[in-house]
Amino acid sequence: MYVVTAAADGERGGCLVGFASPCSIDPPRFMAWLSTANRTYRVACRASHLAVHVLRNDQKETAALFGGRTGDDTDKFARVEWRPGEGGAPVLADSRAWLVGRILERVEGGDHVGFLLAPVEQGAPGPDGVPLLRLGDVTGLTPGHPA
């Protein structure tokens, strides 16, 4: 599971996503898929960059914030420590690992749109042996918007 964040025109958005993956080694590329029902998607459509964060499995509260609340009525970024990354993309301070990528392309995929990213900034991964947050860790979470 990942948290993807975006900023554009003075707005910030962030959501929990399950569809994301590296997709090229040379040149390096990463694809993150956002639900078209999601507020973060609407912000990302106007953004130049996205930040993609890997969470530890002890960060279920962060996952619940970004996956179970909508930015339509909650300022998620008032509840976490973050800083602006390249292109203004919000970088969460307490992530296991993160990257910021410049949006190269958007790919229609049904109810999700893929954002092809060229990594331009990344944080060092946290300590080895720390379990990552996985889909099974958040199966009981009620989404802020329908997926």
Side-chain angles (χ1 to χ4, degrees), residues 55-123:
L55 299 179
R56 301 179 313 274
N57 85 338
D58 66 351
Q59 292 182 287
K60 291 180 182 88
E61 189 173 307
T62 302
L65 174 64
F66 283 92
R69 304 297 303 253
T70 173
D72 293 330
D73 58 25
T74 301
D75 181 359
K76 300 174 189 180
F77 297 94
R79 299 174 182 207
V80 295
E81 188 177 333
W82 66 278
R83 67 165 181 82
E86 190 79 26
V91 174
L92 305 181
D94 195 27
S95 302
R96 167 70 166 77
W98 58 270
L99 70 84
V100 174
R102 183 172 46 86
I103 301 169
L104 298 178
E105 195 173 327
R106 292 168 180 85
V107 178
E108 297 293 324
D111 61 0
H112 283 66
V113 170
F115 288 77
L116 180 63
L117 306 176
V120 295
E121 183 182 12
Q122 65 185 17

Side-chain angles (χ1 to χ4, degrees), residues 7 9 18 23 33 36:
D9 305 324
C23 58
W33 294 86
T36 58

